[in-house]
Amino acid sequence: MAPYEALYGRRCQTPLCCYQDGENMIVGPEMVKQTTDKVKQIQARIKVAQDRQKSYADKRRRPLEFEAG
C-alpha cells in the first residue's frame, strides 16, 4: 500500500498515476511535458503568493532594538 493511499484511504489521482488497477500506462513525452508545464505554472503561482505575503509581513515588521544592561 502506498503512503498516500494509507493516509487518505484512496489512490493518488495526479496525472502521473491516473491509471486504474491492472492497467498499464506508458507515459509519453507529451504527458511528461504537460505535467512539467503544470508544475512550473503551480510553482509560479506559489511564488507570487509568497511574495505577496512577504510584502505584507515586511510592512508590519519593526526593527529590533537592544540596550546594554
Side-chain angles (χ1 to χ4, degrees):
M1 179 180 288
Y4 183 90
E5 190 175 351
L7 184 61
Y8 296 107
R10 59 186 171 89
R11 293 186 55 86
C12 179
Q13 295 295 315
T14 64
L16 295 177
C17 55
C18 59
Y19 56 90
Q20 300 296 323
D21 288 336
E23 178 183 331
N24 285 335
M25 181 176 153
I26 299 172
V27 178
E30 182 178 326
M31 185 163 190
V32 172
K33 184 180 180 321
Q34 288 176 355
T35 304
T36 304
D37 292 342
K38 288 286 186 185
V39 168
K40 287 181 181 179
Q41 183 182 21
I42 291 167
Q43 287 174 337
R45 289 180 180 176
I46 289 173
K47 173 101 170 84
V48 168
Q50 286 175 338
D51 291 344
R52 186 180 325 117
Q53 291 297 320
K54 184 176 179 347
S55 71
Y56 294 154
D58 287 345
K59 289 178 184 175
R60 300 190 65 155
R61 183 169 293 146
R62 294 178 303 164
L64 295 176
E65 296 179 12
F66 297 100
E67 296 178 4

